Structures are given as structure tokens and as C-alpha cells.
Amino acid sequence: MSKTGSFIKELYCPKCSRVYSKDEIQHLCECGSPLLVRYDLERAKKELNKNDLIKRSPSLWRYKELLPVEDDENIVSLGEGFTPIIQLNAAGKKLGLSNLYLKDEGIIPTGTFKARGAAVGVSKAKELGVKTITMPTNGNAGAAWSIYSAKAGIQAVIVMPEDAAKITRNECKAAGADLYLVKGLISDAGKIVGRSIQKNGWYDASTLKEPYRIEGKKTMGLEIAEQFNWNVPDVILYPTGGGVGIIGIYKALKELQKIGWIGEKLPKLVAVQAAGCSPIVKAFNEKKTESEFHKDSKTVAFGINVPKALGDFLVLDAIYKTGGTAVSVTDEEILSSVTELAKLDGVFACPEGASLYAAIRKLKNEGFVHADDKIVLLNTGAGIKYPDTITSKTPYVELNATL
Ligand SMILES: *Cc1c(COP(=O)(O)O)cnc(C)c1O
Ligand SMILES: [Zn+2]
């Protein structure tokens, strides 16, 4: 076996500071909080050099010292990560923003950034000897974990709302997962998964109930820093459901600060939610540190339909600590943003990602961002995964017609 050189040290609770071993399967802290991974960053500071990265493969595994997998042979990879950051010239011009960028996760395996969490989460589950994983999902996570589990030789048991995008069902089934549909929301699916874990002893891969998905999503933050040559942008907008991505990006930036690769300044982190499911926005507006369950939540951007996130306090902390904000946008605004982004800059974003375009327009009008701020929209997935959501009417022509 060859070692990855991971600097993983232990797991810790961000709420009560209890510490847990990295060598055994861990889920939540005794106090109910998600656990986070702690690395030996002092050692990393001494032994790691950012120039070492230059020779490495363009995948998220280029940051293996800051990832939890310890043996190379446990790495389950389909080539995920190091997605491009492109400038939105036309959209920027229209909004009066001269440095508007989009990081495009639409081209990653499985078509959404859930592949990052799945790659690292499944790899670590393999390292810990897990045979069966289970999770509730709004679709994209289930698809990604099914695909990576197949590659790892792990059985996946997936429970999703019947309203979740059909394409994600087919991905789960194609990859050999056991798939169950429920009438209800992801929170209802979660209750069923909770009971099945008690009964069957499966590995709970629910959002933030295992500590490693966050480490995969963290790599978006590492990449943004590296791709901007370690001069972090002024603002990062993120479509927030469970909030794993925003928690991960914040964690990545703090780790980079500790090893000295970036300076004091952090980007303002902005959580964007759909008006039909905006518990984080409500909590932010009320200056609270936790959110309340958003009743009867509903939005076309199903990846961010999470009425109450387990890590809500970590999301809000990341927003407050970076001087960020939280914004909601309507489904109408989201859908018109999908087509506007595609027309202006050739980016066919998923509804979740497109919500950021509607949000940045609001933030510009309110004066939260300025004309020359360096701004990154994190497009979390491909528009082509949403054939039922993003539709348009097109006239037919007869074969002998001229146009
Ligand atoms: C899951 C998902 C999100 C939300 O991700 P979190 O990190 O859990 O907030 C956003 N966009 C898409 C496409 C998703 O699938
Ligand atoms: Zn705790």
C-alpha cells in the first residue's frame, strides 16, 4: 500500500469540541452536531509547498494531503474536480460588473458537484471497510453516491422524493443501487433512512451525518484559491440547500490561511436560496445562529429544497464571519436566469446555479457588490440534467418548407 500523505489527525465537534478517532466509523457527535475533520496544519505548513501542486493531475486529489483518505488504493476516482472558471463577459457587462466569473461544475462526472462529496465520501467509506451505504436525497447526491459506490464495490440504498428529477432515478438504478421513492420531501426520506439504519446497521451517508462529504466539497474552495493564483475573490455566491458546499469552502479557506497560502482577506460568502425554501435567508435576516424548519417548501431548484439543514449553524457562521449575506430569489427569476445565462454567455446552468445570476443582480442593485469586485458564481450542475424543468416550445416545419 502506498500512503497518500494525508495530514488527517482526528475528528472534532464544532459545537462542543469533543474529539473522535479518525480510524473508526464516526457519524454525529454525542451532542448531535456534525463532526469535522482536523488536519495537522502545522506540519502541512512546514512540509507542503504550493509549487508541488503544479505537477499534479487536474483532479481534486491534487490536494490529497488536505483530504482524509490515507491509502492511495482506496481512492475511488472518475476524474472529478479542477473544473474551469470562466469569465461571464456579456452577463457582467449587462449587470455593470467587470469581473464576474462562473466556476462550472456542470462538466464533472454525474453532471453535478455532488461528485466531489461522493468521490471523497465513498473513498473514505471504502477505507473504513463499509459494505452498504444509505441516504435520503433530492436526486443528485443519490445519483453520484450510487455511481461512485458501484466503482468502489459498495452497495448503495437510496431513498428520494417521488418529485425528484427522473434522470437521477435512472442513474441510481443503472448503477445497481436499491432505490426507493417516497411521497414527501427529503426530510421524510430522511426519517425512513434513520429507521432503516437502526434496523440493518448500514452506513449512514446522509448529508453531514458522515464527516467526509464536506471534505470533497471543500476542494471547490481550494481550487478557487489556486485558480486565482492564491488571490481569493471578493465574493463567492453559492446555491444553498444542506449548505455543505459553503461550509466546505469556508473550511478550505481557513485551512489555507493556517498553512499560509492565502492572506487575511476572505471572500464574502453569500448563500442563495429559492423563495419557496429559504430557512437560511430568514435566519440571517433575523440575525439568528440557527434556522427554523421551512414548512411546505417548494422550488424548481430541487437540489436546494432543504427545509432544515443539520449544519445550518455552520452555514450562518461562515456568512457572518466573512461579512457575507443571504438572498432569496423566486422560481420565475431562476428559470429566466437559466435562459439568460445560456443566451448571454453560453452557459447552460442548472436552476440552482442559475439562481446566483438573479441574486447577483439584486446584490448589485442594493450596492452590496461594486463594479470591479471579483465575483464567483458557483454553478453546481449541468442544465442538461433537468430535461423536465427547463423546457421550451419550438414550432415544427414541413419537410419542403423554406426558412
Ligand atoms: C445538492 C445541490 C445543491 C446544494 O448543495 P449543498 O451543498 O447541500 O447546499 C446545489 N445545487 C445542486 C445542483 C445540488 O444538487
Ligand atoms: Zn458535540
Side-chain angles (χ1 to χ4, degrees):
M1 275 196 239
S2 94
K3 297 284 181 189
T4 59
S6 170
F7 286 113
I8 185 170
K9 202 167 136 193
E10 61 200 8
L11 304 177
Y12 72 98
C13 173
K15 221 169 207 171
C16 75
S17 307
R18 273 194 190 84
V19 170
Y20 294 83
S21 162
K22 66 174 170 61
D23 299 320
E24 288 153 34
I25 290 175
Q26 307 287 0
H27 294 287
L28 295 179
C29 179
E30 271 173 58
C31 79
S33 164
L35 295 176
L36 299 178
V37 181
R38 181 178 284 136
Y39 296 87
D40 187 347
L41 297 176
E42 285 303 314
R43 230 186 100 202
K45 187 173 183 164
K46 280 188 222 122
E47 296 176 21
L48 273 186
N49 187 321
K50 54 190 169 196
N51 293 328
D52 297 342
L53 297 175
I54 295 166
K55 288 169 261 153
R56 296 189 183 175
S57 72
S59 88
L60 61 78
W61 298 103
R62 68 200 273 104
Y63 307 109
K64 59 200 170 83
E65 288 91 348
L66 299 177
L67 291 173
V69 181
E70 296 189 83
D71 280 311
D72 276 324
E73 68 183 42
N74 293 322
I75 291 179
V76 182
S77 177
L78 298 167
E80 56 288 332
F82 228 69
T83 52
I85 295 181
I86 51 181
Q87 188 159 10
L88 300 178
N89 300 97
K93 197 163 179 200
K94 184 160 179 191
L95 300 180
L97 295 167
S98 50
N99 292 298
L100 184 62
Y101 297 88
L102 178 137
K103 184 166 176 64
D104 196 3
E105 297 285 298
I107 60 159
I108 215 165
T110 77
T112 76
F113 79 124
K114 290 294 196 297
R116 291 180 190 265
V120 175
V122 168
S123 298
K124 192 64 193 178
K126 184 178 171 198
E127 188 155 274
L128 292 165
V130 170
K131 300 281 177 269
T132 304
I133 62 126
T134 184
M135 63 159 62
T137 172
N138 275 330
N140 289 334
W145 283 71
S146 296
I147 293 280
Y148 281 88
S149 290
K151 175 101 173 141
I154 290 174
Q155 181 62 45
V157 183
I158 307 294
V159 188
M160 69 170 76
E162 62 174 0
D163 289 340
K166 294 209 176 64
I167 184 82
T168 61
R169 291 185 197 177
N170 297 339
E171 290 176 270
C172 294
K173 292 294 271 187
D178 288 332
L179 175 69
Y180 297 89
L181 301 177
V182 292
K183 267 193 183 25
L185 295 175
I186 188 169
S187 40
D188 301 301
K191 284 178 204 147
I192 294 167
V193 165
R195 288 196 293 268
S196 73
I197 283 160
Q198 302 240 311
K199 194 166 143 233
N200 302 298
W202 294 330
Y203 183 76
D204 189 351
S206 310
T207 306
L208 293 177
K209 289 192 182 166
E210 59 76 50
Y212 303 107
R213 183 198 290 218
I214 223 176
E215 295 300 306
K217 291 192 174 183
K218 174 182 91 174
T219 57
M220 293 186 291
L222 301 175
E223 289 176 18
I224 289 172
E226 185 181 357
Q227 288 171 305
F228 281 106
N229 205 15
W230 313 106
N231 297 307
V232 295
D234 299 298
V235 187
I236 299 174
L237 281 79
Y238 185 80
T240 305
V244 185
I246 203 165
I247 299 167
I249 289 170
Y250 182 62
K251 185 171 188 281
L253 295 168
K254 298 296 283 183
E255 288 173 358
L256 289 175
Q257 273 185 334
K258 288 205 180 110
I259 60 176
W261 290 5
I262 63 171
E264 278 301 298
K265 189 199 119 174
L266 289 182
K268 294 176 180 160
L269 297 178
V270 178
V272 178
Q273 298 200 296
C277 183
S278 50
I280 299 287
V281 178
K282 181 166 184 283
F284 177 81
N285 288 338
E286 295 169 356
K287 301 192 170 53
K288 299 225 169 96
T289 53
E290 278 179 30
S291 67
E292 289 159 32
F293 189 92
H294 187 123
K295 277 203 200 86
D296 302 321
S297 61
K298 195 174 186 310
T299 169
V300 291
F302 63 84
I304 52 175
N305 190 348
V306 181
K308 163 83 180 158
L310 195 57
D312 55 357
F313 69 102
L314 295 169
V315 175
L316 287 157
D317 185 55
I319 298 171
Y320 292 132
K321 293 265 172 65
T322 59
T325 187
V327 188
S328 67
V329 295
T330 64
D331 276 7
E332 228 171 18
E333 290 172 310
I334 291 174
L335 290 173
S336 64
S337 295
V338 171
T339 48
E340 207 164 316
L341 267 180
K343 286 195 183 87
L344 287 171
D345 279 295
V347 174
F348 191 20
C350 61
E352 295 83 350
S355 74
L356 307 180
Y357 178 73
I360 194 64
R361 183 166 44 209
K362 283 191 182 167
L363 292 176
K364 174 66 173 34
N365 290 342
E366 290 167 8
F368 182 85
V369 294
H370 306 291
D372 51 4
D373 279 351
K374 202 155 80 182
I375 301 163
V376 177
L377 310 182
L378 223 150
N379 175 39
T380 43
I384 50 173
K385 277 201 85 172
Y386 296 70
D388 312 320
T389 314
I390 302 161
T391 53
S392 64
K393 289 198 181 69
T394 307
Y396 279 98
V397 290
E398 297 300 326
L399 274 179
N400 57 359
T402 50
L403 296 174

